[in-house]
Amino acid sequence: MREIRNTLPRQLITQVLREAGRPLTAGELYTRAVQRRPRLAKSTVYRNLDAMRERGEVVHGRLADGESYYEAAGGGHRHYMICLSCQRMLDLPECPLGDLERRVAETEGFTVTDHVVQLYGYCRACREGGKPTSRE
């Protein structure tokens, strides 16, 4: 595996993700990063995110519309409830797959190395605030 240098853009991306406190899309990440480094190219952000994902430095997931989101690795094991109206990502209070992973390992001899759980629906604020809760 080729060594990846810890460049200024990579450091900036990591810093922005850690400070965000929530997952960000590549576009959101770029918008925040370019405020600190105006000459940063969008292609640099995408290229670095791809390399960082391959190396396990960022965690990648997908929103209901297929757009990717990213968060810094090492933040613990997290799953999300994603509101289809406002796109907020709320932490799922617990991982529902721990027991299943253990049973699969015991009965099938299969070792799970990773999994993703994302629930899609409508948050309380959108339901109570009268925002649309159906796809027109």
Side-chain angles (χ1 to χ4, degrees):
M1 184 185 300
R2 121 177 181 248
E3 184 177 333
I4 304 292
R5 297 179 313 152
N6 193 17
T7 62
L8 289 176
R10 178 163 290 164
Q11 291 172 17
L12 178 59
I13 289 167
T14 300
Q15 183 179 15
V16 168
L17 286 172
R18 291 197 189 285
E19 290 173 358
R22 67 175 182 84
L24 299 174
T25 65
E28 290 173 320
L29 196 151
Y30 172 74
T31 298
R32 291 179 184 209
V34 79
Q35 291 173 353
R36 297 180 192 185
R37 191 167 184 197
R39 296 176 67 154
L40 181 67
K42 190 177 271 191
S43 61
T44 299
V45 171
Y46 281 91
R47 188 174 53 254
N48 275 279
L49 282 171
D50 285 342
M52 293 169 77
R53 189 178 81 217
E54 287 177 15
R55 295 180 52 83
E57 297 169 17
V58 296
V59 177
H60 167 262
R62 293 212 184 269
L63 298 172
D65 64 2
E67 186 172 11
S68 294
Y69 68 81
Y70 301 87
E71 62 184 317
H77 186 75
R78 297 171 73 181
H79 301 298
Y80 297 101
M81 298 174 285
I82 302 170
C83 180
L84 295 170
S85 182
C86 68
Q87 299 298 311
R88 280 184 48 214
M89 296 179 73
L90 307 160
D91 283 327
L92 197 59
E94 62 185 57
C95 175
L97 296 182
D99 290 337
L100 177 61
E101 284 185 7
R102 282 187 287 284
R103 282 196 319 268
V104 165
E106 290 171 7
T107 61
E108 305 299 324
F110 186 84
T111 301
V112 177
T113 59
D114 195 14
H115 65 261
V116 175
V117 176
Q118 292 177 181
L119 303 177
Y120 299 95
Y122 299 95
C123 69
R124 179 177 290 140
C126 288
R127 285 191 334 271
E128 292 174 358
K131 290 188 179 178
T133 57
S134 65
R135 294 189 156 177
E136 323 295 300

